């Protein structure tokens, strides 16, 4: 009633026959307005007969966007629309439908005059014109048919401009005109997202504005004293209805297995404005516009010498005028615009040089603009403690709201801010180069928590890194914020993302909560928050064993030593590439960063690790310290290139500083420290040193520790051999000759033990040939022993599906020859092909009908475990020109258990024992120096200990270690770690990984000794 009366007064006078009673009744109803507003109609003087513009601007009636039902009360309209179930047939059969607004207005007045009531839901009145989708209300000044409503005198028009929006609190200045409400389905389609009360419909909003708004003073984060984890309270305001939604975010065990902690959002309920407060807000908000085209609103940008940029905003009491609000009444806005154009036309385009003089000369006396609505809003604000007003105008308090336990919540496609992910400290922003080295040194843990942002830094990609430079773990400040606990959906189709990741100012990462309509929440509901990190996070997924290749190719995560080594080898190659392209200036800052932020704190903590129990932090510190040493050696080689370059001043301050710092990087205390470590920490250090040795021999020992290439005997021999080399050369003190003597003895001993285990297994498996395997049982000790031996000699397949076309030759009529393949076949593939071929041979031999055809079989998978069998070529097939595959053939384990195949002991001895021992011993150790001179290790000594003919050994070494390569795995290359789509367009820090061929050592090549300087460390 209070909304419609002034507007209907004009309609009645212009179009309806005299009916004073209805008008008087409507005017009496208007007395129910708040005291602060009803005085406007009783003002003395020239304004006494004017109608307040805030009343004029309010819509004559409101309609449900779903069914078109007419209401006069805002709260009733919203309540109806939330639960609207009116069907089209009900509208046609029971309702009174109006297509013309003027006719409807006349009917409303007559209804009030005759029955003394206002239109409500029971009247079933519907307004169904061709309105734009999403219109929440219909104002009488929106159609051409009601020109009478615009015929007001100048004084009335002047007062109409007084209907001003005097600005809102600082906490709500990010309010968005275009935000959606959960019960406005048509607005969700994006045709007319704004509340129709806005006069200034042409105001543009940026994409970042599509969010609900936090009420800052009602939001808080505290730390649980028991768990030490954050608990976040959130209150967000719908920018369409000013409804408040309360949430709580708790951190607890994630529902995803092995995912650690997760973030859980609980909906605590909604709070809606009371009717009086809603009417007051509706009346005041009409006719206001947004004006932020003031120089002081424009953010400034600063940049440090290190290339870090920051956004600077100006704050101050009424610095931006209009009580620092961007929402101006039209009267005040017009006066201000007029003053701008007359006094300082260029004030909105301030340059850095003219900012001071322009601001000082630009003055505007707001007191000259008399605006009654502005003063009333100001009075409301003054009554709110600490200026913590709520809503568009900042005129509401919590007492103006009442709980609505039945209000459902969903906000898709909009979102509300959960919080900042990073950066939290200046050091959280790094260049791509600095982050890559830190990530490698900290064993790739920082990559799990980093993002790339669009803004460059020093002409490099900028990385947001929330991990501590010393530990590589998430720092304490980031742990006190909930966004870091949000897990990702990965490739799990059962999980749905409800968190969006966006950047602000191209340099900060924020998380936003977006709940879809299908997942709408009722009070008390809890949902775990999930984000989608995108393809750039794939390498981290692979390390954690839930990436694409982990599933499709059965590739292991970092718990699989073989798969981990291949990833780490690639990263070491990338580090060497980065170092090879470094210039002096870039190296100086890199060395300075790593020395101050990583080396010094690590060196201090390393001194306290002696004789302590196993601790993950200490394990990481040992790996970090050794990797700093390795990187330092590579940087030293690059410095030597600088010194040798004629255009580089080797005595410059930068070069001298770099050389001095790199001397500190040498892990000279490792021998004395190693003797103090407990066995677990000692194994950690030896494992890191073993990785360095295997990286050094990666071109000759393909895929080390990979169960698909090496049997368990070879894997165990590799570990023992590398550990012995690392311990005697890097972790022991004493004369080098004596250390090499002990090393030689260890290497020969390890090889001999492996050869004995091989022969025992071969004899045990071959002994079953010709026997009746059906007599064996699980209780037979010999059967258990044979299973143990098979486990030591067998190769594990990845279980890949083999395409039928790969198995057939060019004619597509028969299977390819296993013995003439130009590429080495994977053991599991060869085993299944051999079983198929054996079946085909048996069918041909017995003249039987085939029930199994390779070319028609739909699914063929690699054999799970296989063992290399004996094959003795005869005649011309013994030619050296035959392919390597000609000399061996893998068979399934079942073939050996049935006695159908024999173990190829010679092949195992040459490829799984000899190759491992001699390649590592030859490349990593220099046996030619005095006083050693091959007296403690040589190929002859090795062959003697493992009972292998020297000529056969030389032939096997010339051929190189077997590396199965066919069929080629269909592996999609992974991107650089821990990068996510944040914003419109993002790029990976590094290019996608490219495969690099590892050429074997040619027969005539000599195996070079290792770096003498590194051996003597």
């Amino acid at each position: 009633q209070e909304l419609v009366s002034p507007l209907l007064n004009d309609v009645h006078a212009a179009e309806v026959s005299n009916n004073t009673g209805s008008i008087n009744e409507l005017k009496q109803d208007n007395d129910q307005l708040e005291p602060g507003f009803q005085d406007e109609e009783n003002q003395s003087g020239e304004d006494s007969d004017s109608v307040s513009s805030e009343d004029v601007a309010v819509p004559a009636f409101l309609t449900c966007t779903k069914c078109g039902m007419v209401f006069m009360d805002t709260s009733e309209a919203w309540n109806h629309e939330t639960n609207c179930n009116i069907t089209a047939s009900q509208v046609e059969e029971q309702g009174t439908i109006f297509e013309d607004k003027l006719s409807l207005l006349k009917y409303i007045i007559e209804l009030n005059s005759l029955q003394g009531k206002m239109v409500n839901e029971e009247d079933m009145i519907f307004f169904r014109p061709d309105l734009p989708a999403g219109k929440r209300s219909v104002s009488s000044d929106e159609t051409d048919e009601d020109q009478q409503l615009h015929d007001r005198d100048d004084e009335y028009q002047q007062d109409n401009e007084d209907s001003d929006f005097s600005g809102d609190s600082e906490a709500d200045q990010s309010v968005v005109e275009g935000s959606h409400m959960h019960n406005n389905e048509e607005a969700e389609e994006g045709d007319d997202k704004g509340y129709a009360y806005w006069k200034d419909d042409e105001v543009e909003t940026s994409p970042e504005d599509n969010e609900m708004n936090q009420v800052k003073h009602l939001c808080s984060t505290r730390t649980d004293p028991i768990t030490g984890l954050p608990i976040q309270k959130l209150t967000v305001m719908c920018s369409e209805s000013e409804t408040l939604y309360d949430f709580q975010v708790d951190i607890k065990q994630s529902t995803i297995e092995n995912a650690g902690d997760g973030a859980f959002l609980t909906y605590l309920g909604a709070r809606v404005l009371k009717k009086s407060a809603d009417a007051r807000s509706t009346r005041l908000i009409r006719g206001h516009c947004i004006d932020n085209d003031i120089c002081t609103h424009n953010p400034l940008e600063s940049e440090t010498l290190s290339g870090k940029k920051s956004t600077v905003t100006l704050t101050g009491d009424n610095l931006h005028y209009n009580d620092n609000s961007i929402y101006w009444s039209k009267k005040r806005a017009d006066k201000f615009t007029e003053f701008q154009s007359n006094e300082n036309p260029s004030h909105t385009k301030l340059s850095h040089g003219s900012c001071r003089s322009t601001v000082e000369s630009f003055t505007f006396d707001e007191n000259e603009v008399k605006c009654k609505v502005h003063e009333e809003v100001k009075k409301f604000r003054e009554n709110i403690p600490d200026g913590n007003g709520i809503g568009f105008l900042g005129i509401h308090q919590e007492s103006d709201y009442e709980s609505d336990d039945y209000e459902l919540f969903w906000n898709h496609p909009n979102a509300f801010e959960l919080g900042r992910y990073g950066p939290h400290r200046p050091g959280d922003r790094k260049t791509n180069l600095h982050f890559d080295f830190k990530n490698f040194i900290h064993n790739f843990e920082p990559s799990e928590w980093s993002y790339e942002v669009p803004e460059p830094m020093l002409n490099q990609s900028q990385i947001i890194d929330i991990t501590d430079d010393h530990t590589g773990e998430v720092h304490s400040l980031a742990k006190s914020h909930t966004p870091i606990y949000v897990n990702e959906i990965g490739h799990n189709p059962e999980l749905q993302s409800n968190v969006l990741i966006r950047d602000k100012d191209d340099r900060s990462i924020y998380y936003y909560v977006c709940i879809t309509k299908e997942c709408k929440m009722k009070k008390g509901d809890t949902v775990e928050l999930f984000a989608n990190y995108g393809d750039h996070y794939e390498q981290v997924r692979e390390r954690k064993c839930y990436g694409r290749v982990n599933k499709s190719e059965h590739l292991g995560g970092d718990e699989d030593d073989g798969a981990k080594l291949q990833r780490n080898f690639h990263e070491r190659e990338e580090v060497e590439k980065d170092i090879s392209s470094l210039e002096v200036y870039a190296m100086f800052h890199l060395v300075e960063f790593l020395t101050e932020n990583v080396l010094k704190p690590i060196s201090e903590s390393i001194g306290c690790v002696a004789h302590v129990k196993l601790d993950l932090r200490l394990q990481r510190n040992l790996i970090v310290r050794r990797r700093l040493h390795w990187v330092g050696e590579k940087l030293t080689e690059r410095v030597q290139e600088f010194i040798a370059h004629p255009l580089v001043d080797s005595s410059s301050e930068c070069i001298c500083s770099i050389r001095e710092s790199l001397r500190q990087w040498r892990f000279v205390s490792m021998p004395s420290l190693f003797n103090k470590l407990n066995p677990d920490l000692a194994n950690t250090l030896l494992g890191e040193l073993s990785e360095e040795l295997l990286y050094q021999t990666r071109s000759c020992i393909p895929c080390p520790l990979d169960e698909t290439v090496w049997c368990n005997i070879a894997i165990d021999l590799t570990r023992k051999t590398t550990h012995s080399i690392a311990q005697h050369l890097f972790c022991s003190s004493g004369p080098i000759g004596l250390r090499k003597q002990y090393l030689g003895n260890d290497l020969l001993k390890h090889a001999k033990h492996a050869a004995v285990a091989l022969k025992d297994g071969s004899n045990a498996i071959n002994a079953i040939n010709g026997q009746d395997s059906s007599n064996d049982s699980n209780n037979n000790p010999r059967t258990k022993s044979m299973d143990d031996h098979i486990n030591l000699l067998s190769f594990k397949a990845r279980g890949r599906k083999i395409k039928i076309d790969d198995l057939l030759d060019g004619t597509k009529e028969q299977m390819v020859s296993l013995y003439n393949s130009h590429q080495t076949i994977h053991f599991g593939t060869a085993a299944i092909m051999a079983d198929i071929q054996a079946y085909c041979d048996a069918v041909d031999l017995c003249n039987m009908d085939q029930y199994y055809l390779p070319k028609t079989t739909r699914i063929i998978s690699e054999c799970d475990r296989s063992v290399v069998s004996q094959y003795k070529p005869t005649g011309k097939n013994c030619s050296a020109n035959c392919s390597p595959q000609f000399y061996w053939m893998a068979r399934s384990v079942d073939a050996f258990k049935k006695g159908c195949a024999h173990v190829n002991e010679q092949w195992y001895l040459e490829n799984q024992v000899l190759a491992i021992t001699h390649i590592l011993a030859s490349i990593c150790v220099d046996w030619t120096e005095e006083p050693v001179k091959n007296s403690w290790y040589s190929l002859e000594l090795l062959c003697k200990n493992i009972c292998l003919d020297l000529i056969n050994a030389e032939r096997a070494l010339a051929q190189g270690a077997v590396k199965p390569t066919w069929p080629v795995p269909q592996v999609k290359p992974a991107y650089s770690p821990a990068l996510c789509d944040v914003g419109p367009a993002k790029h990976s820090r590094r290019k996608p990984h490219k495969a690099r061929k590892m050429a074997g050592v040619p027969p005539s090549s000599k195996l070079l000794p290792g770096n003498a300087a590194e051996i003597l460390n």
Side-chain angles (χ1 to χ4, degrees), residues 58-322:
V58 170
F61 56 88
L62 296 98
T63 60
C64 173
T65 60
K66 299 178 181 178
C67 66
M69 183 175 288
V70 176
F71 294 87
M72 305 305 298
D73 183 82
T74 305
S75 299
E76 290 183 6
W78 283 108
N79 292 335
H80 165 82
E81 189 176 38
T82 303
N83 304 301
C84 178
N85 56 4
I86 302 294
T87 62
S89 59
Q90 288 179 307
V91 173
E92 296 177 359
E93 296 173 3
Q94 305 176 23
T96 303
I97 303 175
F98 290 87
E99 297 181 355
D100 175 67
K101 185 190 303 183
L102 186 58
S103 300
L104 175 59
L105 292 175
K106 293 178 181 179
Y107 181 84
I108 292 174
I109 294 175
E110 291 174 358
L111 184 66
N112 179 268
S113 175
L114 296 176
Q115 302 183 16
K117 60 175 291 188
M118 300 303 295
V119 174
N120 56 34
E121 188 173 4
E122 299 176 353
D123 296 315
M124 295 289 286
I125 298 176
F126 298 89
F127 184 58
R128 306 293 291 270
D130 295 329
L131 290 176
K135 274 290 186 181
R136 282 292 308 146
S137 60
V138 179
S139 180
S140 60
D141 57 355
E142 291 179 350
T143 65
D144 295 336
E145 298 176 359
D146 299 328
Q147 295 297 327
Q148 298 90 341
L149 302 181
H150 298 288
D151 298 333
R152 290 178 170 81
D153 54 43
D154 294 339
E155 180 182 21
Y156 177 85
Q157 292 290 349
Q158 182 65 36
D159 281 348
N160 187 35
E161 295 175 352
D162 289 346
S163 170
D164 290 350
F165 192 134
S166 64
D168 65 43
S169 65
E170 180 180 354
D172 294 327
Q173 286 188 10
S174 62
V175 68
V176 182
E177 178 185 328
S179 294
H180 294 267
M181 184 175 178
H182 70 280
N183 56 3
N184 190 346
E185 293 186 356
E186 295 191 31
E188 181 186 350
E189 299 175 3
D191 294 330
D192 186 354
K193 303 185 181 76
Y195 208 179
Y197 296 137
W198 291 103
K199 288 285 188 180
D200 197 7
D201 292 334
E202 68 276 8
V203 173
E204 296 182 358
T205 57
S206 61
E208 292 81 0
D209 288 336
N210 288 330
E211 58 183 75
M212 304 180 75
N213 312 286
Q214 282 190 8
V215 183
K216 298 296 184 182
H217 68 276
L218 298 181
C219 300
S220 62
T221 302
R222 63 180 178 87
T223 301
D224 189 318
I226 299 177
T227 64
L229 299 172
I231 299 176
Q232 184 178 14
K233 293 279 190 178
L234 284 170
T235 298
V236 298
M237 187 191 78
C238 175
S239 60
E240 191 174 271
S241 63
E242 296 183 306
T243 298
L244 302 182
Y245 299 93
D246 298 319
F247 300 91
Q248 178 168 310
V249 181
D250 298 289
I251 310 302
K252 51 189 178 182
Q253 183 66 38
S254 173
T255 57
I256 302 177
E257 187 178 359
N258 300 323
D261 292 325
F264 292 82
L265 179 75
T266 301
Y267 177 38
L268 303 180
R271 289 182 280 176
V272 298
L273 281 172
K274 297 178 180 177
K275 290 186 176 182
S276 59
D278 181 54
R280 176 185 66 201
S281 177
T282 301
R283 183 165 54 85
L284 289 175
I285 205 173
R286 288 278 298 177
H288 290 74
C289 61
I290 298 176
D291 185 3
N292 58 356
D293 191 21
I294 302 175
C295 63
T296 52
H297 274 302
N298 299 330
L300 305 176
E301 190 173 83
S302 67
E303 183 174 359
T304 65
L305 294 176
S306 62
K308 295 180 180 179
K309 297 180 180 179
S310 302
T311 300
V312 180
T313 55
L314 304 178
T315 60
D317 185 21
N318 203 31
L319 175 65
H320 314 302
Y321 300 100
N322 195 44

Side-chain angles (χ1 to χ4, degrees), residues 460-625:
Q460 298 184 46
S461 299
Q462 181 180 174
I463 306 299
I464 302 302
D465 169 31
I466 60 171
T467 61
D468 188 86
D469 293 338
H470 168 205
T471 64
E473 301 173 348
V474 178
H475 58 65
S476 57
L477 186 56
K479 287 181 179 178
S480 65
H481 294 74
T482 56
I484 72 161
Y485 298 95
V486 176
N487 288 312
E488 69 138 353
I489 59 176
H491 303 297
N492 189 341
E494 298 179 358
L495 299 179
Q496 182 178 358
S497 173
N498 50 23
V499 172
L500 306 178
I501 305 172
R502 297 291 182 265
D503 66 82
K504 281 189 179 181
D505 301 323
D506 291 341
R507 68 173 70 98
S508 299
I509 303 298
Y510 283 78
Y511 278 19
Y512 295 85
V513 177
C514 179
I515 305 297
T516 62
K517 184 177 181 180
E518 292 74 15
C519 302
K520 54 189 174 185
M521 304 175 69
K522 63 179 182 295
K523 182 178 180 180
D525 283 353
T526 299
V527 61
E528 183 171 4
L529 299 177
F530 294 110
N532 184 358
Y533 293 164
D535 288 339
H536 298 296
Y537 197 72
E538 188 63 19
Q539 187 171 354
V540 176
R541 296 188 187 108
E542 291 176 11
R543 287 188 176 275
K544 291 180 171 291
C545 203
Y546 67 99
R548 292 188 184 94
V549 296
N550 302 113
K551 298 179 179 179
S552 62
E553 298 296 327
H554 300 274
L555 185 67
D558 274 3
E559 77 285 349
D560 183 336
D561 291 336
K564 177 182 177 180
L565 280 179
Q566 294 308 303
R567 299 187 187 99
N568 290 2
F569 287 175
H570 173 81
E571 294 296 334
R572 288 180 184 269
E573 290 175 353
E574 292 293 326
V575 168
E576 290 193 288
K577 289 179 183 178
D578 290 340
I579 291 176
S580 66
S581 61
L582 279 179
E583 301 298 336
V584 175
Y585 181 78
M587 181 184 288
F588 171 79
H589 287 286
L590 174 63
V591 171
E592 181 184 46
F593 164 72
L594 294 176
T595 300
E596 296 297 326
N597 295 14
V598 183
L599 176 67
K600 290 185 177 180
I602 284 291
S603 298
E604 294 176 1
S605 61
I606 286 292
C608 305
V609 304
H611 302 298
V612 296
K613 295 182 179 180
L614 177 64
D615 183 84
L616 291 178
R617 175 68 58 81
L618 296 178
Q619 282 185 314
R620 293 170 180 171
N621 287 348
L622 289 172
I623 294 175
V624 169
R625 185 62 187 88

